[in-house]
Amino acid sequence: MAKKITIAIQRKGRLFESSKELLIKSGINFSTSGGKLLARSSNMNIDILLVRDDDIPSLVSKGVADLGIVGKNVLAEQAANSRKISAKSVLNLGFSKCRLAFAKPLTSKIKSLNNKVIATSYPGLVKKFLKKESINAELIKINGSVELTPYIGIADCICDLVSSGATLEANNLTEFKILMDSEAVLISSSSLKNLKDKTIIDLVRRFEGVINAAESKYVMLNASTNSVNKICKLLPGADSPTIIPLQEKNKVAIHALCSEPVFWETMEKLKSNGASSILVMPVEKILN
Ligand code: PRT
Ligand code: ZN
């Protein structure tokens, strides 16, 4: 029997739904009903630990969990604060995208961060950034409602996560510098190339297959033989399209797996270059 694998995911919060969906699409059946902290897969030798996102990097670093799903921002902040965090990001998962950014009041005349007071929940990353840029500033660590600190007069600016920008806007703040871009990542105790356990490697490949499929589309269209080259060049991220002769003379069907999004504009361009009957279909899984 294959070794038991343990995967740590967030119990509730912004990462939970997409993490659960990724595991299920990767073929791991499990139920999280009833506020469970541990879910056993019904079809694979896998345990899923349901925990706070902040605990995931250390659970993986200590080997309690083989894999974990967490924001790149949380992993980077904890790694900046402690040598004990050895977990590595092995796959970008493409969801919960956001950025860690500096923001100041709309009315502020701040030109540089030098000698300023910065409020943040990410002191490790901000300190590292300030050191790299040789900036001398004071940090205030705040765990929540960071956006309020300039208004109540305890900070000149903030460094916090931003996704739509609506929270900054609602608090009369404006973003002026991005410290890092973030998204959910799959983490493991060693880097991808050093992973040794075959069951874990296969699982990472499955996750990769689901993530790649989410962006990919299968495109089928008809075209005249003399427009094949032009049309193939327009297919976004298509590797080597299949060309199939049609019953009608000088006409072919082109089938292609496109690894990039196929927008209406692309379809319109294909049509104006001689393509007809253009079908764009979702792809469920890819195994390369
Ligand atoms: O309870 P637990 O500790 O597990 O969860 P948590 O409350 O610490 O984290 P949670 O669920 O809020 O966020 C988990 C992860 O989601 C973060 O670590 C990020 O990687 C990612 N993420 C993506 C975000 C956002 N987008 C986000 N917008 N995390 C927080 N925000 C907050 C931000 O702090 C700010 O207050 O949303 C506000 C800004 O959003 P916009 O859309 O108004 O710009
Ligand atoms: Zn948290």
Side-chain angles (χ1 to χ4, degrees):
M1 194 157 113
K3 168 191 167 244
K4 173 165 275 172
I5 305 293
T6 305
I7 307 174
I9 64 169
Q10 191 188 33
R11 194 160 84 90
K12 53 181 183 207
R14 293 172 199 261
L15 302 170
F16 171 69
E17 282 300 335
S18 302
S19 303
K20 184 177 168 190
E21 190 184 322
L22 174 64
L23 300 194
I24 288 174
K25 281 190 173 170
S26 300
I28 307 167
N29 294 342
F30 66 102
S31 150
T32 55
S33 57
K36 283 189 236 175
L37 302 179
L38 172 78
R40 294 223 146 98
S41 165
S42 56
N43 65 331
M44 293 173 82
N45 199 15
I46 292 178
D47 277 352
I48 291 112
L49 298 180
L50 297 143
V51 294
R52 286 199 59 183
D53 66 346
D54 316 76
D55 294 330
I56 295 174
S58 68
L59 287 172
V60 172
S61 299
K62 285 179 187 152
V64 178
D66 299 286
L67 296 169
I69 297 177
V70 71
K72 201 183 265 180
N73 50 300
V74 170
L75 175 67
E77 174 63 20
Q78 294 195 5
N81 290 324
S82 163
R83 278 163 197 249
K84 288 187 182 155
I85 301 299
S86 56
K88 307 273 184 301
S89 162
V90 290
L91 189 63
N92 290 340
L93 299 175
F95 57 82
S96 298
K97 288 192 174 173
C98 57
R99 55 198 181 272
L100 183 60
F102 289 97
K104 61 181 180 179
L106 287 167
T107 51
S108 166
K109 301 214 165 33
I110 293 179
K111 292 259 175 332
S112 110
L113 288 167
N114 246 321
N115 303 319
K116 297 294 177 301
V117 181
I118 308 165
T120 185
S121 314
Y122 293 84
L125 288 173
V126 177
K127 213 184 272 175
K128 216 168 136 184
F129 169 82
L130 295 175
K131 192 171 171 205
K132 196 176 115 230
E133 303 283 316
S134 307
I135 296 170
N136 184 25
E138 186 189 332
L139 289 190
I140 297 184
K141 185 177 186 234
I142 299 275
N143 289 324
S145 307
V146 178
E147 293 90 351
L148 211 58
T149 55
Y151 178 73
I152 56 176
I154 60 168
D156 298 302
C157 56
I158 66 165
C159 186
D160 198 16
L161 296 178
V162 183
S163 61
S164 66
T167 309
L168 291 184
E169 206 181 312
N171 288 284
N172 297 317
L173 296 167
T174 177
E175 198 176 328
F176 64 94
K177 181 155 194 65
I178 295 177
L179 195 156
M180 77 176 281
D181 285 307
S182 183
E183 65 185 277
V185 288
L186 181 71
I187 63 170
S188 140
S189 58
S190 60
S191 62
L192 193 55
K193 66 176 189 329
N194 290 327
L195 279 178
K196 295 213 164 52
D197 190 298
K198 185 169 177 320
T199 324
I200 297 180
I201 296 171
D202 288 348
L203 213 46
V204 175
R205 288 223 178 96
R206 279 197 191 190
F207 292 151
E208 201 171 16
V210 174
I211 300 302
N212 288 343
E215 298 242 303
S216 299
K217 295 282 177 275
Y218 196 73
V219 177
M220 303 202 298
L221 54 85
N222 292 345
S224 55
T225 41
N226 59 11
S227 59
V228 167
N229 285 343
K230 246 186 334 186
I231 284 179
C232 286
K233 277 191 195 133
L234 289 172
L235 291 165
D239 219 8
S240 177
T242 310
I243 317 284
I244 312 158
L246 291 179
Q247 198 176 29
E248 194 181 327
K249 214 170 154 219
N250 296 327
K251 279 215 110 183
V252 290
I254 303 179
H255 292 189
L257 177 66
C258 293
S259 61
E260 290 159 33
V262 181
F263 299 110
W264 278 106
E265 288 77 3
T266 313
M267 294 173 71
E268 283 151 8
K269 230 181 213 169
L270 286 164
K271 188 170 158 55
S272 64
N273 277 277
S276 61
S277 307
I278 310 167
L279 303 184
V280 178
M281 288 170 294
V283 176
E284 203 179 280
K285 301 179 182 88
I286 298 177
L287 192 61
N288 285 319

